[in-house]
């Protein structure tokens, strides 16, 4: 096993200069003005061939690439409100490069260190204990947004609510890429964007000077072929904080998981999902549940370890019809995979026979938030408008929720989050959730922007922050 493996021909760091300019454009790619601020420095890249080539993509080769980068600031330069680094990829012969997945994904809450592997479709998924080909991801701190998956330009944006801005330091991004079979090199143009507050920018505009370099895929393949069998069968590097002896003449091989199944180990919030239920063609189906209700899964008895410091969300919904069930599954998948929340959904907890009443009681009790998804059947059950022999599971579940709300209305009003997915309206919520006189959360799509109000409620991050009294006093002083 090796760590910090450079490309075979040796790699020098590449700097994207950050500067302020008094030019006319908002974003500048020009010669530096008089105020250099620092740089985004891209270190030695790692290139790992994926072997054997994934059968789902005939005529293509696959690689795992790590881009380490650092935010470097000159002395006395304040941290930016946010900064973004982008890597535009293209084959040297002009052929297209496709980014099938990238990590870290969107990070809205602190995520513990974790280990991941690539599945058959070149998606990153949580690794099983001791699984070959797994590699470590360090702790991820919010806020990180990722863009460009499915395209050719992955980019990561780092932002913070801290008054001192994003702190300088080291970061890294991993991408899985597809290139035409036999492609020997990928050209990379690295660019950066950032923003300072208006006071710190002094009326100038932020700018950056892109840099470029080449990923030598042929050298990585040659190093792999030349490596001893034991080196080629070894897994990827351990976490970068653990020292390891470099092996400059070999490049580890990435192996792909054959069954495309993910099991959470150590709390990878963004991957807390059953990958077989996440659109990878699994034939798994939800087992029968009294009343046809579906509401959260995972729990203490599921074998999934709860991530530390990550909000736990229990999703409660009705089985109106199969399209609605699938819509809720995709929504829960988004919350877990892309937002890093600890999501509980019954479709992910059908690995054994269960007493669903006791299971639901545990989930309601242990969750930080209970999401009740609006639908006509959910409203009818919650309002007592169906026969008591139908949807008994959902009737019991909503009865538990009502009982908790009645016992402590102040606490449970903030814990119960009514959710309205596309195609539904607030009138599809039960009356006891007060859809008209209390908040409900309309989700327009499975994106951070589409679910922004809900995510802000879960993470306790209001869009507008109340200023501290001292800030108001300083403002009044300026007016005198």
């Amino acid at each position: 096993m090796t760590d910090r493996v450079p490309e075979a021909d040796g790699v020098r760091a590449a700097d994207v200069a950050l500067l302020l300019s008094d030019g006319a454009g908002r974003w500048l790619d020009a010669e530096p003005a008089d105020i250099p601020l620092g740089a985004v420095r891209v270190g030695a890249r790692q290139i790992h061939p994926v072997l054997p080539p994934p059968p789902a993509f005939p005529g293509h080769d696959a690689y795992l690439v790590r881009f380490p980068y650092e935010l470097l600031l000159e002395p006395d330069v304040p941290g930016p409100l946010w900064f973004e680094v982008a890597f535009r990829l293209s084959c040297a012969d002009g052929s297209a490069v496709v980014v099938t997945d990238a990590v870290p994904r969107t990070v809205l809450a602190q995520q513990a260190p974790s280990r991941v592997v690539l599945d058959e479709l070149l998606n990153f998924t949580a690794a099983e204990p001791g699984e070959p080909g797994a590699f470590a991801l360090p702790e991820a701190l919010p806020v990180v947004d990722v863009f460009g998956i499915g395209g050719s330009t992955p980019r990561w944006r780092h932002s913070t609510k801290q008054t001192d801005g994003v702190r300088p330091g080291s970061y890294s991004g991993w991408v899985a890429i597809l290139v035409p079979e036999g492609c020997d090199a990928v050209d990379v143009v690295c660019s950066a964007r950032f923003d300072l507050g208006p006071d710190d920018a002094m009326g100038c505009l932020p700018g950056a000077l892109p840099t470029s370099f080449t990923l030598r895929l042929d050298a990585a393949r040659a190093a792999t072929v030349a490596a001893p069998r034991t080196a080629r069968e070894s897994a990827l590097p351990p976490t970068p904080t653990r020292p390891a002896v470099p092996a400059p003449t070999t490049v580890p091989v990435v192996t792909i998981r054959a069954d495309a199944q993910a099991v959470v180990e150590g709390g990878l919030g963004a991957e807390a999902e059953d990958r077989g239920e996440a659109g990878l063609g699994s034939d798994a189906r939800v087992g029968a549940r009294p009343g046809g209700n579906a509401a959260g899964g995972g729990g203490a008895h599921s074998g999934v370890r709860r991530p530390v410091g990550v909000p736990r969300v229990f999703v409660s919904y009705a089985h109106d019809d199969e399209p609605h069930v699938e819509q809720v599954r995709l929504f829960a998948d988004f919350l877990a995979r892309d937002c890093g929340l600890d999501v509980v959904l019954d479709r992910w907890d059908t690995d054994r026979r269960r007493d669903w009443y006791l299971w639901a009681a545990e989930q309601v009790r242990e969750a930080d938030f209970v999401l009740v998804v609006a639908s006509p059947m959910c409203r009818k059950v919650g309002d007592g408008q169906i026969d008591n022999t139908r949807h008994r599971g959902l009737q019991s579940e909503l009865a538990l929720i009502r009982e908790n709300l009645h016992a402590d209305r102040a606490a449970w009003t903030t814990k119960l989050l009514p959710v309205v997915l596309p195609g539904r309206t607030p009138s599809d919520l039960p009356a006891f959730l007060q859809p008209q006189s209390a908040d409900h959360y309309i989700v327009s799509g499975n994106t951070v922007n589409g679910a922004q109000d809900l995510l802000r409620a879960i993470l306790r991050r209001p869009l507008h922050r109340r200023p501290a009294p001292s800030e108001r006093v300083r403002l009044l002083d300026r007016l005198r």
Side-chain angles (χ1 to χ4, degrees), residues 275-287:
R275 192 61 78 152
E277 285 282 315
L280 296 186
S282 170
D283 289 329
R285 294 290 183 268
V286 177

Side-chain angles (χ1 to χ4, degrees), residues 308-321:
V308 177
V310 176
R312 186 172 195 173
V313 173
F314 174 55
V315 182
S316 176
Y317 67 109
H319 274 191
D320 290 58
D321 50 39

Side-chain angles (χ1 to χ4, degrees), residues 143-301:
V143 173
V144 182
D145 294 295
V146 64
F147 307 90
I149 296 175
S152 60
T153 307
R155 51 195 175 98
W156 287 271
R157 179 182 298 165
H158 301 266
S159 58
T160 182
K161 296 293 185 181
Q162 302 298 320
T163 56
D164 56 352
V166 179
R167 297 180 62 84
S170 297
Y171 304 87
S172 64
W174 291 86
V175 294
I177 63 172
L178 278 174
V179 298
E181 186 175 5
C183 176
D184 289 334
V186 168
D187 293 330
V188 182
V189 177
C190 179
S191 59
R193 301 196 307 160
F194 68 98
D195 202 7
L196 301 176
D199 292 338
D200 295 326
M202 299 177 292
C204 297
L205 302 178
L209 296 175
T211 189
S212 60
F213 50 86
T214 300
L215 303 176
R216 299 301 312 182
L217 306 183
D218 52 354
R221 290 197 304 269
T224 300
V225 173
R229 179 178 177 84
T230 54
R232 284 185 275 130
E233 291 177 346
S234 64
L236 282 174
T239 175
T241 59
R242 179 181 301 171
V245 179
T249 60
T250 65
V251 177
V253 178
V254 179
T255 57
I256 58 176
R257 171 181 292 182
D259 60 359
Q261 290 287 322
V263 177
V264 175
E265 178 195 12
L268 176 59
E271 292 293 337
E273 60 178 337
D274 180 339
R275 192 61 78 152
E277 285 282 315
L280 296 186
S282 170
D283 289 329
R285 294 290 183 268
V286 177
R289 182 174 176 188
N293 173 49
H301 305 297

Side-chain angles (χ1 to χ4, degrees), residues 361-405:
E362 178 189 9
Q363 307 314 322
V364 171
R365 181 177 63 252
E366 295 296 328
D368 297 308
F369 297 94
V370 176
L371 275 54
V372 181
V373 181
S375 72
M377 186 55 66
C378 180
R379 177 183 57 79
K380 290 179 181 179
V381 172
D383 291 347
Q385 295 177 352
I386 65 168
D387 188 270
N388 61 10
T389 62
R390 300 177 57 207
H391 295 275
R392 290 175 176 173
L394 182 56
Q395 291 193 56
S396 297
E397 191 170 291
L398 293 183
L400 286 169
I401 293 173
R402 284 196 305 269
E403 187 71 15
N404 282 288
L405 181 62

Side-chain angles (χ1 to χ4, degrees), residues 112-116 125-129 131 257 261-275 298 302-307 336 341-343 348:
S114 56
R115 296 181 65 80
V116 298
T125 184
E128 298 177 3
E131 183 170 5
R257 171 181 292 182
Q261 290 287 322
V263 177
V264 175
E265 178 195 12
L268 176 59
E271 292 293 337
E273 60 178 337
D274 180 339
R275 192 61 78 152
S302 66
V304 178
R305 192 178 310 163
R306 181 174 180 179
L341 301 177
D342 182 15
V343 181
W348 304 335

